[in-house]
Amino acid sequence: MEPRSVPFKLLGKVDGIICKIEVFILSWGIIAMAVNTIANVFGRYVFHQSIYFSEELNEFLIVIITFMGLGYATRKGIHIRMSAIYDALPKKMRKILMILITIMTATMMAILTWYAVEYVAKVASRGRVTPALQVPLYLTYIWVVIGLALATLQYLLTALRNLNLAEEEIYVSYLEVDSYEDPETAAAVARFVEKEEGAAK
């Protein structure tokens, strides 16, 4: 997609920066989890001594990866969708429905973000720490807030992107066009076209 065709350019630039941060966190989070797990197994079976904080660190990393991945998956339009009714509608109706779906989902994500903020504030006020690493427990849950907030932003951007009803494309995220295609159907269509072309010759 050419840059000139993208509306809300400032939002797009901010979104691009957030995307790079997400990719960095997700990549290094997965690497850290793998290294931590391998090191723990190595320590247990070679030195007969597990890393005492290994399980706790992995739990912390799982929370980060899960909720940072939420915003990333929404940005790439790769979240699970139930689209039987949606696919049967005319294109303009699908676009309107996409706007409604993304606004409703953004609202739900915003509500969950609010509840998550309240919960994190409650945990922080109690001063609880993790058993092994002795770090404040709220630092684990704060990633839930960040992930839900980023998902809220992505759904709002998707709604904004689809507001131009004169534009043919339907967007499942700020930049990703709805191009769902069942692989089996695509293969069947390709075989049919190939057969027809062969018959024409």
Side-chain angles (χ1 to χ4, degrees), residues 178-197:
D178 184 7
S179 58
Y180 171 78
E181 190 175 55
D182 180 62
E184 292 180 3
T185 303
V189 169
R191 285 195 299 270
F192 176 77
V193 170
E194 188 177 335
K195 185 179 178 181
E196 289 295 310
E197 287 177 350

Side-chain angles (χ1 to χ4, degrees), residues 135-201:
V135 298
L137 189 59
Y138 77 90
L139 292 178
T140 302
Y141 298 130
I142 202 167
W143 293 97
V144 177
V145 175
I146 294 169
L148 290 170
L150 289 174
T152 303
L153 174 64
Q154 287 306 314
Y155 281 112
L156 285 174
L157 284 173
T158 306
L160 285 171
R161 191 69 174 92
N162 284 296
L163 284 178
N164 183 5
L165 297 178
E167 193 175 31
E168 282 193 18
E169 290 85 358
I170 301 169
Y171 291 86
V172 292
S173 72
Y174 183 65
L175 292 177
E176 300 295 326
V177 176
D178 184 7
S179 58
Y180 171 78
E181 190 175 55
D182 180 62
E184 292 180 3
T185 303
V189 169
R191 285 195 299 270
F192 176 77
V193 170
E194 188 177 335
K195 185 179 178 181
E196 289 295 310
E197 287 177 350
K201 291 177 182 178

Side-chain angles (χ1 to χ4, degrees), residues 92-166:
K92 185 159 281 189
M93 287 299 297
R94 291 205 307 269
K95 196 173 184 93
I96 293 169
L97 184 58
M98 180 63 72
I99 293 169
L100 293 174
I101 289 169
T102 50
I103 289 173
M104 288 172 65
T105 309
T107 304
M108 182 59 67
M109 289 290 146
I111 292 168
L112 290 173
T113 303
W114 175 254
Y115 282 121
V117 168
E118 287 189 333
Y119 182 74
V120 170
K122 191 182 294 183
V123 172
S125 67
R126 291 175 180 172
R128 293 175 61 189
V129 296
T130 59
L133 293 172
Q134 294 293 299
V135 298
L137 189 59
Y138 77 90
L139 292 178
T140 302
Y141 298 130
I142 202 167
W143 293 97
V144 177
V145 175
I146 294 169
L148 290 170
L150 289 174
T152 303
L153 174 64
Q154 287 306 314
Y155 281 112
L156 285 174
L157 284 173
T158 306
L160 285 171
R161 191 69 174 92
N162 284 296
L163 284 178
N164 183 5
L165 297 178

Side-chain angles (χ1 to χ4, degrees), residues 6-14 157 159-163 174:
V6 180
F8 315 111
K9 288 184 180 180
L10 180 60
L11 286 175
K13 288 178 181 177
V14 172
L157 284 173
L160 285 171
R161 191 69 174 92
N162 284 296
L163 284 178
Y174 183 65

Side-chain angles (χ1 to χ4, degrees), residues 33-45 47 49-51 54:
M33 187 185 295
V35 170
N36 178 50
T37 303
I38 293 167
N40 191 43
V41 171
F42 187 78
R44 181 182 301 165
Y45 290 102
F47 299 108
Q49 180 64 52
S50 299
I51 301 173
S54 181

